[in-house]
Amino acid sequence: MISWRRLAETDFPLLRRWLEQPHVARWWNHETSPEAVARDFGPAARGEEASQDLLMLLDGEPFGLVQRYRFADYPEDVDQLADQAEIPRGAMSIDYLIGHPSRVGQGLGTRMIQAIIRATWTDHPEASAVIVPVHADNRASWRTLEKAGLRRVAEVSLEPDNPIDDRAHYLYRIDRPTA
């Protein structure tokens, strides 16, 4: 069973190990010193930032991370996309990772994303859609989004997370189900 809880500062050593894994580091390109992890994830863990960092659990054991946020709370993200795609009022987004390499390729990413999206409709009644930009070269990620029910709605040019990448991204979307 997949469940989750808010990421806590006591989870930072685990998160740091995950960020150092080659399959994660390639796409997250994150500084992994204890100070950097605390600096970048601490505010959300303490509830001081609008985003939610959620530690994903499989039968109670941590396996991944989802960051969930409202586009409205990050206007710079909306500005980057404004002339390239429609971002409806109330749209949300997610970033995600599977931490340990032994957990990759088991369908957990799809299940994790589906669970978070279902919960988003309940947790955020104002959420109109979940929109996820993903680098065009990150085939595993965008295939996972497709398996989770999101559809590709645009090709966009965005600043990449990793400076070795170009600006080519796909934009995936799923709308709130109608009753």
Side-chain angles (χ1 to χ4, degrees), residues 40-114:
D40 295 340
F41 293 91
R46 293 186 299 271
E48 299 167 0
E49 189 173 314
S51 71
Q52 298 173 312
D53 289 353
L54 305 171
L55 187 70
M56 304 304 294
L57 310 167
L58 178 64
D59 298 328
E61 293 297 318
F63 74 91
L65 177 78
V66 172
Q67 294 179 315
R68 181 170 63 176
Y69 58 95
R70 290 185 298 265
F71 269 100
D73 292 330
Y74 297 90
E76 64 279 5
D77 291 350
V78 176
D79 291 346
Q80 273 197 80
L81 290 167
D83 62 346
Q84 301 180 75
E86 176 201 4
I87 306 298
R89 183 183 188 112
M92 298 194 68
S93 191
I94 57 172
D95 294 316
Y96 45 89
L97 63 85
I98 301 291
H100 196 276
S102 69
R103 294 294 196 177
V104 174
Q106 299 177 1
L108 286 175
T110 300
R111 290 174 52 203
M112 170 177 78
I113 290 167
Q114 289 171 327

Side-chain angles (χ1 to χ4, degrees), residues 141-171:
S141 186
W142 55 260
R143 287 290 299 135
T144 298
L145 291 169
E146 290 171 353
K147 290 175 189 173
L150 285 84
R151 68 187 190 290
R152 188 182 303 176
V153 295
E155 294 183 19
V156 295
S157 175
L158 298 173
E159 192 66 38
D161 290 332
N162 193 327
I164 68 170
D165 291 321
D166 60 22
R167 296 180 58 89
H169 284 72
Y170 297 139
L171 203 62

Side-chain angles (χ1 to χ4, degrees), residues 11-22 24 32 37 99-101:
D11 300 315
F12 290 174
L14 173 64
L15 179 57
R16 180 175 180 229
R17 286 192 302 275
W18 287 351
L19 291 168
E20 291 172 340
Q21 294 295 319
V24 174
T32 59
V37 172
H100 196 276

